[in-house]
Amino acid sequence: MKFAYRFSNLLGTVYRCGNLNFTCDGNSVISPVGNRITVFDLKNNKSNTLPLATRYNIKCVGLSPDGRLAVVVDEGGDALLVSLVCRSVLHHFHFKGCVHSVSFSPDGRKFVVTKGSIAQMYHAPGRKREFNAFVLDKTYFGPYDETTCIDWTDDSRCFAVGSKDMSTWVFGAERWDNLIYYALGGHKDAIVACFFECSSLDLYTLSQDGTLCVWQCDTPPEGLRLKAPTGWKADLLQREDDEDEGEQETTIRGKATPAAGEQQGKVKYSRLAKYFFNKEGDFNNLTAAAYHRKTHLLVTGFASGIFHLHELPEFNLIHSLSISDQRIESVAINSSGDWIALGCSGLGQLLVWEWQSESYVLKQQGHFNSMVSLAYSPDGQYIVTGGDDGKVKVWNTLSGFCFITFTEHSSGVTGVTFTATGYVIVTSSMDGTVRAFDLHRYRNFRTFTSPRPTQFSCVAVDSSGEIVSAGAQDSFEIFIWSMQTGRLLEVLSGHEGPISGLCFNPMKSVLASASWDRTVRLWDMVDSWRTTETLALTSDALAVTFRPDGAELAVATLNSQITFWDPENAVQTGSIEGRHDLKTGRKELDKVTAKHSAKGKAFTTLCYSADGQSVLAGGMSKFVCIYHVREQILRKKFEISCNLSLDAMEEFLNRRKMTEFGNLALIDQDAGEENGVAVPLPGVRKGDMSSRHFKPEIRVTSLHFSPTGRCWAATSTEGLLIYSLDAQLLFDPFELDTSVTPGRVRAALRQRDFTRALLMAFRLNERKLVQEALESVPPDEIEIVSSSLPDLYVDKVLEFLASSFEVSRHLEFYLLWTQKLLMLHGQKLKARVGKLLPAVQFLQKSIQQHLDAVSKLCDWNRYNMQYALAVSRQRGVKCPSEPPQSEEEEQDDDNDSLHLLGAGHEDGARAGAGAGLRLLG
């Protein structure tokens, strides 16, 4: 089995902190998710996380006007220049300080960052080939406190910078003769946002206390005069003639109160109006704002979760809505002005609101607390997750979106699982209930409870879906219910410690239960639920799982070992020592080093790969390990996160944080921030020393392999991480010799020897060559070629067909191939179904996705044709007075009127593929 797994997507977290951006076409939202970036395609209903990560959580993202480049800056001041076209990092840069905002000029030639109390303008990268992508052009001084926001004029001649010192500064991108850089006041709180009017130097400024000031400029943008150089600068410029443009840094200092003589003949600002968002007696902090210049639409978000829409400059209220009870952290408007994106970091919410129709385009929210468990559906299309917030969410792996959330649990969810049909989810919770949810009607149709209130720590369902079991954490018992009746069938007792894991044998009615009493018990569900075997362990059991064929059992224990058992004979077949592979980090407040700390040095979650040859293990660490079961060696180790904003990421602490007075981590560095802890002075009631910021600890709480074998998922502190096989760059031939070349394959195709060409193409194992050979076979010869394929190559053709369904448009052609292969080789494939099961499930998933998409389209076209036929009959005909027809007669008439060409052929191919899959099932 290949292990070229790479990070492919991040689900379960849609927004953490930072600013939201729309792409230039207005169809996608770029959202910072921790130290990663997710692009939500609203038009095609897909989300995709870029395969890059910063060292800390992302603070701000600047998008170039053409949408090709993005500057991503994290909390530590490290910047990445990212190409959104090839989805890769082009350049690394460090700004040597905390950056608050970054903004490209509308012409794309410059970008400005606000850092501390200064603003710095850089030449935008990508215009020419250069060794250093970030070249500093000018540094602007003026504000006395931290700068907060930036906005450019339409012609890129000037930009405005807001500051926490309640002033707004207007700077020029060039040295304008009649523009003096001075401060605009009028506010009593920190500036949150500032916006220029369309094709004008008129300015709007908004402060945190909910005040809007309208500033009018007496000079149009065309009236700005370029300052002519004098003296030696003129000679120097004449000699160099713009040769090294931008290589020399310029420092510009503004004046808060220019002299009266300096203001003569210069640009002047006057305040036209001042508006207040808060009514009298109501105080609500303004936290985010966005302005659309063409439609004069102002969107403001507040700390109470309310956002307003106003039309400027008259300040007419268009719309007001409350979306949550948490502060709105970021607001963005798309290029057409129709969609508004709102991000709430407290709840992890991302909303896209269409204000004209007053409807949601996108409404997504992750788990409020950390995810605890996950499970794949049998076909691999869906993932269900349970969290400490008591919510159960179901995610579509194709689109990356959550499409249903169940909130019936009143406490944290401890376990989730699918039944074999894939349409029922069973969950256990600390609230003392086990619930079953229906994915057809999206409802909780069964609730299982125990005679005495108890907290359930794990749940399992047998292969038939009829028996539900859950392990108790406080009474050390296992409860068995019937899914059909909901009745309690049996209470299994015998364990002397909390139940840590349950797992049913996929092939037999045998339940394995792991406990902290250092035993794993096997219970026979058929023979009156008695204990058949008790497996004695050397330490507390933390997780248990069966191999997909049910012939082996894996147990993770507290002494960081993974032991393998034969469940039939109760004999240990092997063990893996994982103490040195997990490598837990040291938390900031730990007194003991990571090497000597016993805490966390154990695997807490286990999962077999789809073929059963390997086992996936994770725990309280940033690493996930894949072991080979038979050889008992480490195959690969994945580092799931490099985010230093999380705790226990580093093995050694930074000695600079250790002072003679103690650890600097005990001191809240964000006490001065608006979200930070306000240390109260004598007589001041605001603030509480106990409300301290904390860093979440990195850990992997659950792992699961997809039934298709193409990917695996892990729930961690960052969210739901998906790792997929990356077979694009691998050259992996099969039984290759010197006689197999691309030229020989194409020569065999020209001679119409399709079987030999196909076999040689699969031996060379180049995807494009295999596709060429497969698609060269005429449809009427598919049956002959399929029947002459050796059994070993049938497996490879099925795997190729399953992956081709996702990208190819030749749906009927590939369905014919699938039908012929399954009908001709069905009995032989069934004999080795254990090995073939991942490929068949992958094939079923691909066909099911096409069935869902095509069936909706066919129904839509059928109804439209029925409507058109009905309208054509009614045209020019007066309504008769005769009694109406019965429903059956009308349906017969409609069916007689519709003759869909080729429907029988396509339905036959689809039915044949379904029959073949049922034959294997």
Side-chain angles (χ1 to χ4, degrees):
M1 187 175 180
K2 305 296 183 298
F3 286 95
Y5 290 98
R6 287 192 178 183
F7 172 81
S8 65
N9 210 352
L10 172 64
L11 312 182
T13 313
V14 291
Y15 176 75
R16 279 279 169 85
C17 58
N19 62 314
L20 298 169
N21 286 278
F22 274 98
T23 52
C24 52
D25 59 0
N27 295 329
S28 300
V29 179
I30 298 176
S31 172
V33 183
N35 67 331
R36 299 183 184 271
I37 290 179
T38 303
V39 181
F40 295 95
D41 189 346
L42 305 176
K43 201 169 185 180
N44 299 317
N45 192 36
K46 281 189 177 181
S47 73
N48 205 343
T49 305
L50 301 184
L52 52 95
T54 56
R55 294 179 69 240
Y56 293 91
N57 284 336
I58 293 172
K59 187 72 177 289
C60 52
V61 179
L63 200 63
S64 64
D66 57 2
R68 293 174 178 269
L69 296 175
V71 176
V72 181
V73 189
D74 64 13
E75 292 171 347
D78 286 312
L80 301 179
L81 178 64
V82 178
S83 169
L84 297 177
V85 178
C86 59
R87 297 158 50 87
S88 59
V89 178
L90 304 179
H91 186 68
H92 292 261
F93 189 76
H94 189 60
F95 281 111
K96 298 183 177 67
C98 185
V99 174
H100 295 91
S101 56
V102 55
S103 177
F104 275 83
S105 62
D107 60 4
R109 297 178 60 191
K110 305 284 177 69
F111 71 90
V112 173
V113 296
T114 58
K115 182 184 71 173
S117 61
I118 63 172
Q120 291 183 325
M121 185 164 66
Y122 289 81
H123 289 281
R127 294 285 170 180
K128 56 184 178 180
R129 291 190 177 183
E130 58 232 338
F131 178 73
N132 184 12
F134 288 6
V135 179
L136 181 61
D137 184 19
K138 296 181 181 70
T139 302
Y140 297 87
F141 292 86
Y144 296 104
D145 206 342
E146 293 182 0
T147 47
T148 56
C149 54
I150 312 166
D151 192 54
W152 284 84
T153 55
D154 288 336
D155 54 7
S156 304
R157 295 187 176 203
C158 300
F159 64 91
V161 173
S163 171
K164 286 186 178 178
D165 65 1
M166 303 174 285
S167 64
T168 308
W169 295 73
V170 181
F171 294 112
E174 304 291 340
R175 297 300 298 268
W176 304 114
D177 187 32
N178 54 341
L179 178 63
I180 296 179
Y181 308 140
Y182 58 87
L184 302 176
H187 288 282
K188 297 180 181 179
D189 209 339
I191 304 297
V192 173
C194 52
F195 305 107
F196 279 105
E197 188 54 272
C198 184
S199 304
S200 172
L201 290 177
D202 294 347
L203 193 64
Y204 303 107
T205 58
L206 295 99
S207 62
Q208 192 173 325
D209 59 357
T211 305
L212 167 69
C213 287
V214 183
W215 303 89
Q216 186 182 33
C217 182
D218 62 350
T219 308
E222 299 81 19
L224 295 175
R225 301 187 304 272
L226 199 62
K227 190 172 185 178
T230 56
W232 64 271
K233 288 186 179 179
D235 299 336
L236 187 65
L237 284 174
Q238 195 172 6
R239 215 175 311 135
E240 293 187 357
D241 196 27
D242 293 335
E243 225 172 46
D244 301 321
E245 181 193 355
E247 296 297 329
Q248 191 72 24
E249 179 194 343
T250 309
T251 301
I252 299 170
R253 299 183 182 274
K255 297 181 180 179
T257 54
E262 295 180 5
Q263 295 187 18
Q264 292 182 0
K266 307 293 184 181
V267 173
K268 290 183 181 178
Y269 274 93
S270 58
R271 194 175 73 192
L272 277 185
K274 191 173 185 179
Y275 301 105
F276 300 94
F277 289 93
N278 294 323
K279 298 176 182 177
E280 191 175 351
D282 181 25
F283 189 77
N284 195 0
N285 272 351
L286 191 146
T287 54
Y291 180 62
H292 193 262
R293 293 174 185 169
K294 293 179 181 177
T295 56
H296 305 284
L297 185 69
L298 175 69
V299 185
T300 50
F302 292 87
S304 61
I306 298 173
F307 75 92
H308 297 315
L309 269 70
H310 286 87
E311 185 184 9
L312 296 182
E314 291 83 11
F315 198 66
N316 298 326
L317 180 64
I318 302 173
H319 190 64
S320 181
L321 186 71
S322 175
I323 57 170
S324 73
D325 55 354
Q326 298 283 331
R327 59 182 282 128
I328 297 176
E329 201 74 32
S330 180
V331 176
I333 309 178
N334 72 339
S335 53
S336 62
D338 297 328
W339 293 347
I340 299 166
L342 304 154
C344 302
S345 61
L347 294 174
Q349 275 184 328
L350 177 62
L351 307 170
V352 179
W353 176 259
E354 188 172 22
W355 64 275
Q356 290 176 335
S357 63
E358 298 188 7
S359 60
Y360 286 110
V361 178
L362 173 72
K363 187 178 183 182
Q364 289 286 302
Q365 180 180 347
H367 287 278
F368 180 66
N369 292 327
S370 60
M371 295 184 186
V372 175
S373 56
L374 86 144
Y376 266 99
S377 62
D379 59 358
Q381 282 199 69
Y382 306 119
I383 298 177
V384 58
T385 59
D388 283 336
D389 56 357
K391 292 181 180 177
V392 177
K393 289 179 176 285
V394 188
W395 308 84
N396 189 325
T397 56
L398 188 66
S399 68
F401 287 120
C402 170
F403 63 91
I404 185 65
T405 301
F406 299 107
T407 58
E408 279 78 6
H409 283 296
S410 58
S411 187
V413 177
T414 55
V416 293
T417 184
F418 272 95
T419 58
T421 60
Y423 296 113
V424 176
I425 296 169
V426 182
T427 63
S428 62
S429 173
M430 302 291 276
D431 63 2
T433 62
V434 173
R435 297 178 183 269
F437 300 95
D438 181 11
L439 284 186
H440 281 303
R441 299 182 181 178
Y442 302 130
R443 63 190 180 96
N444 175 208
F445 69 95
R446 284 279 185 277
T447 302
F448 310 102
T449 57
S450 57
R452 296 185 305 275
T454 185
Q455 293 180 326
F456 294 114
S457 57
C458 48
V459 68
V461 182
D462 74 331
S463 55
S464 67
E466 296 296 323
I467 299 175
V468 179
S469 66
Q473 193 169 354
D474 43 9
S475 64
F476 314 154
E477 295 171 330
I478 301 167
F479 297 87
I480 308 292
W481 295 276
S482 166
M483 178 73 82
Q484 290 288 339
T485 63
R487 292 177 56 190
L488 181 65
L489 300 177
E490 187 69 28
V491 179
L492 308 179
S493 58
H495 280 295
E496 299 172 2
I499 313 297
S500 56
L502 293 174
C503 187
F504 272 98
N505 190 321
M507 301 301 169
K508 298 179 181 178
S509 293
V510 174
L511 174 67
S513 62
S515 173
W516 291 6
D517 62 1
R518 302 189 177 189
T519 61
V520 170
R521 291 175 180 262
L522 301 178
W523 312 82
D524 194 345
M525 296 291 105
V526 178
D527 190 7
S528 67
W529 297 292
R530 66 183 181 87
T531 307
T532 56
E533 297 290 348
T534 301
L535 311 179
L537 306 172
T538 57
S539 185
D540 299 4
L542 301 179
V544 62
T545 182
F546 272 101
R547 205 165 68 184
D549 61 357
E552 191 176 67
L553 186 73
V555 184
T557 52
L558 192 60
N559 58 355
S560 68
Q561 283 189 347
I562 302 173
T563 55
F564 301 97
W565 299 78
D566 179 5
E568 284 292 323
N569 305 315
V571 177
Q572 183 175 340
T573 58
S575 68
I576 292 173
E577 180 66 46
R579 185 181 301 276
H580 302 292
D581 300 326
L582 203 57
K583 279 193 178 178
T584 53
R586 182 177 178 182
K587 296 176 70 174
E588 284 188 341
L589 301 178
D590 278 353
K591 303 293 185 184
V592 187
T593 60
K595 184 178 180 181
H596 295 94
S597 174
K599 179 186 177 184
K601 285 191 175 177
F603 295 112
T604 57
T605 175
L606 277 181
C607 174
Y608 271 99
S609 60
D611 59 357
Q613 294 181 7
S614 305
V615 68
L616 202 62
M620 292 180 66
S621 166
K622 61 179 178 179
F623 293 108
V624 171
C625 305
I626 291 186
Y627 293 97
H628 192 281
V629 175
R630 190 180 302 168
E631 302 292 337
Q632 298 176 11
I633 57 171
L634 178 68
R635 277 190 159 180
K636 193 165 184 179
K637 188 158 65 171
F638 298 93
E639 185 178 2
I640 62 167
S641 178
C642 61
N643 189 0
L644 296 180
S645 296
L646 302 174
D647 209 353
M649 282 294 298
E650 296 178 290
E651 190 175 354
F652 302 103
L653 289 183
N654 191 344
R655 291 297 176 188
R656 287 179 294 180
K657 293 185 178 179
M658 305 300 292
T659 65
E660 56 181 323
F661 304 107
N663 195 340
L664 285 178
L666 289 167
I667 304 170
D668 197 336
Q669 301 292 334
D670 298 329
E673 298 285 333
E674 59 267 15
N675 302 335
V677 179
V679 180
L681 296 172
V684 178
R685 296 182 180 178
K686 184 182 178 184
D688 181 12
M689 283 294 287
S690 65
S691 59
R692 187 174 301 281
H693 281 248
F694 72 96
K695 292 172 72 172
E697 183 181 354
I698 183 69
R699 64 176 65 188
V700 178
T701 53
S702 183
L703 291 167
H704 210 283
F705 241 100
S706 170
T708 64
R710 306 283 300 177
C711 54
W712 55 270
T715 54
S716 72
T717 313
E718 289 193 315
L720 177 59
L721 301 160
I722 309 291
Y723 282 77
S724 300
L725 270 180
D726 182 27
Q728 303 297 323
L729 305 176
L730 293 178
F731 175 64
D732 187 20
F734 172 71
E735 294 183 358
L736 189 64
D737 56 25
T738 54
S739 63
V740 180
T741 61
R744 297 273 181 96
V745 174
R746 293 187 175 95
L749 289 175
R750 285 193 295 271
Q751 295 168 9
R752 298 184 66 81
D753 190 353
F754 299 112
T755 305
R756 189 165 65 90
L758 198 59
L759 294 180
M760 284 196 295
F762 271 106
R763 288 174 69 182
L764 200 59
N765 206 6
E766 279 193 4
R767 182 173 181 82
K768 289 186 177 179
L769 196 63
V770 173
Q771 183 178 351
E772 182 182 345
L774 200 70
E775 294 180 356
S776 300
V777 180
D780 52 351
E781 294 190 26
I782 290 178
E783 188 170 1
I784 302 169
V785 175
S786 299
S787 61
S788 59
L789 285 176
D791 293 343
L792 190 60
Y793 287 89
V794 172
D795 307 355
K796 294 187 172 296
V797 176
L798 282 176
E799 288 182 10
F800 180 81
L801 289 173
S803 59
S804 298
F805 271 116
E806 295 183 338
V807 292
S808 177
R809 296 182 180 180
H810 306 299
L811 180 59
E812 186 181 1
F813 181 77
Y814 282 111
L815 280 172
L816 279 171
W817 264 105
T818 308
Q819 180 196 15
K820 300 301 181 186
L821 282 172
L822 293 178
M823 297 299 285
L824 292 169
H825 300 273
Q827 292 299 329
K828 293 180 182 178
L829 292 176
K830 195 171 183 180
R832 53 182 198 277
V833 68
K835 184 181 176 183
L836 267 180
L837 192 60
V840 174
Q841 287 179 326
F842 186 32
L843 188 66
Q844 182 184 1
K845 173 186 172 183
S846 304
I847 294 176
Q848 186 66 39
Q849 286 174 357
H850 279 292
L851 177 63
D852 295 342
V854 173
S855 60
K856 289 179 184 177
L857 186 64
C858 291
D859 288 343
W860 174 256
N861 290 338
R862 185 164 168 266
Y863 297 146
N864 280 342
M865 292 166 72
Q866 286 181 355
Y867 175 74
L869 287 169
V871 169
S872 64
R873 288 198 206 101
Q874 295 294 329
R875 183 172 293 173
V877 179
K878 293 183 180 180
C879 293
S881 58
E882 60 193 36
Q885 293 181 348
S886 66
E887 290 184 5
E888 294 179 0
E889 292 175 3
E890 287 183 4
Q891 193 172 359
D892 292 341
D893 290 346
D894 289 339
N895 291 336
D896 291 342
S897 306
L898 285 174
H899 300 283
L900 298 177
L901 295 177
H905 188 59
E906 185 180 343
D907 288 345
R910 191 190 303 165
L917 288 172
R918 283 194 297 274
L919 183 68
L920 277 172

